[in-house]
């Protein structure tokens, strides 16, 4: 076997966004260049000779979508020989979960457009990015059961139903609401503000809660056992 390699290394970012109105979405760019010109894809690109993987994924996100995210977790490596028609490219992928309203999107460099797309209605995607999103979603679904991620996506004060919506959107399935409330209460992460939810229409307003920041930080550090 020859010792000469012609392998390139790239990074791709799976940025999930969550709102109670839209549910779970994924940040996509529309490619300006071939291959797959005009198709939607994950933000990403080749790693520079003198930058770390983390620096590369932060740079690609900023260049192609206009956003900066403080922390992205490394997900997996994708390296099928035919995953990119131009060259042998190994992709190191990262993922994160953010509040879309906190960012102003701006397409640039290799991106003709950038948009959030609901995970249930993704367009056809370039390369193996559909597979990458599936792997990232499975990781997110698993992680939310042992670490209280995503709670920062809710308002400072929120109805318990909003927390239920968050879990159902990420898990992509219904949950046993009674069992869910019992387990959340047992974790002692929430404080009851004794305030009521403001409703525009008819219905019984729910009580508003906020997170106990000390307990929340402790749970994030130690982890939780949260099978629902």
């Amino acid at each position: 076997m020859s010792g000469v390699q012609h392998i390139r290394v790239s990074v791709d970012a799976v940025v999930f966004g969550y709102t109670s109105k839209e549910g779970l979405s994924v940040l996509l760019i529309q490619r300006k260049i071939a291959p797959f010109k005009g198709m939607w894809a994950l933000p990403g690109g080749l790693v520079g000779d003198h930058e770390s993987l983390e620096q590369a994924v932060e740079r690609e996100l900023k260049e192609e979508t206009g956003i900066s995210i403080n922390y992205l977790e490394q997900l997996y490596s994708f390296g099928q020989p035919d995953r990119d028609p131009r060259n042998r490219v190994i992709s190191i992928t990262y993922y994160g979960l953010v509040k879309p309203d906190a960012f102003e999107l701006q397409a640039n460099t290799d991106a003709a457009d950038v948009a959030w797309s609901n995970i249930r209605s993704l367009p056809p995607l370039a390369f193996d990015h559909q597979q990458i999103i599936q792997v990232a979603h499975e990781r997110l679904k698993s992680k939310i059961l042992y670490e209280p991620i995503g709670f920062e996506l809710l308002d400072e004060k929120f109805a318990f139903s909003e927390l239920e919506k968050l879990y159902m959107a990420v898990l992509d399935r219904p949950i046993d609401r009674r069992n869910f409330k019992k387990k959340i209460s047992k974790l002692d992460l929430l404080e009851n503000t004794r305030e009521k939810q403001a409703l525009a229409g008819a219905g019984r307003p729910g009580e508003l809660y906020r997170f106990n920041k000390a307990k929340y930080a402790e749970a994030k550090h130690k982890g939780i056992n949260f099978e629902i």
Side-chain angles (χ1 to χ4, degrees):
M1 177 178 162
S2 169
V4 179
Q5 288 185 325
H6 300 285
I7 298 175
R8 295 188 172 191
V9 177
S10 70
V11 287
D12 289 300
V14 186
V15 181
F16 293 106
Y18 173 79
T19 66
S20 59
K21 183 178 179 182
E22 303 295 335
L24 194 65
S25 56
V26 181
L27 185 63
L28 298 176
I29 63 154
Q30 189 173 34
R31 289 179 58 79
K32 192 189 290 184
I33 59 173
F36 305 109
K37 183 178 179 180
M39 290 187 70
W40 291 90
L42 294 169
L46 295 176
V47 179
D49 287 341
H50 303 290
E51 62 184 351
S52 69
L53 296 174
E54 289 73 22
Q55 289 170 333
V57 74
E58 289 171 9
R59 174 182 53 75
E60 288 289 343
L61 261 180
K62 183 68 176 174
E63 288 178 353
E64 295 186 343
T65 71
I67 73 171
S68 297
I69 297 177
N70 291 333
Y71 178 73
L72 289 169
E73 184 172 325
Q74 195 172 117
L75 171 68
Y76 196 71
S77 300
F78 293 82
Q80 285 299 313
D82 58 351
R83 61 176 301 278
D84 189 318
R86 295 166 296 185
N87 309 97
R88 177 80 194 278
V89 180
I90 293 175
S91 172
I92 313 297
T93 56
Y94 288 76
Y95 79 111
L97 180 60
V98 302
K99 197 171 186 175
D101 295 346
F103 299 96
E104 184 176 346
L105 304 181
Q106 183 175 3
N108 211 334
T109 59
D110 296 344
D113 197 3
V114 56
W116 294 98
S117 180
N118 191 285
I119 196 164
R120 291 186 166 183
S121 55
L122 294 175
L125 298 177
F127 305 104
D128 53 359
H129 290 183
Q130 183 74 47
Q131 180 193 4
I132 292 175
I133 291 173
Q134 287 174 351
V135 172
H137 192 195
E138 290 303 316
R139 178 73 65 85
L140 187 65
K141 287 193 283 187
S142 172
K143 188 169 182 178
I144 202 169
L145 297 179
Y146 64 82
E147 183 179 320
I149 59 171
F151 287 17
E152 297 93 340
L153 305 179
L154 302 175
D155 293 334
E156 182 186 357
K157 299 176 184 177
F158 54 89
F160 198 86
S161 59
E162 295 298 314
L163 189 56
E164 292 174 343
K165 283 183 186 176
L166 169 64
Y167 266 78
M168 286 193 287
V170 171
L171 294 172
D172 195 27
R173 63 174 170 83
I175 59 175
D176 183 327
R177 299 178 65 186
R178 195 169 176 179
N179 189 38
F180 179 76
K181 190 163 188 175
K182 185 178 176 183
K183 292 200 170 185
I184 284 287
S185 299
K186 192 175 180 181
L187 291 173
D188 199 22
L189 298 175
L190 305 184
E191 295 175 351
N192 190 330
T193 67
R194 306 301 174 190
E195 298 174 32
K196 295 286 186 180
Q197 182 182 24
L199 294 179
R204 185 180 174 185
E207 294 182 311
L208 292 177
Y209 295 83
R210 64 178 163 231
F211 289 110
N212 180 320
K213 292 182 179 177
K215 292 284 181 65
Y216 180 55
E218 183 181 353
K220 286 204 77 165
H221 179 68
K222 291 183 176 178
I224 58 176
N225 181 7
F226 197 57
E227 287 298 329
I228 56 176

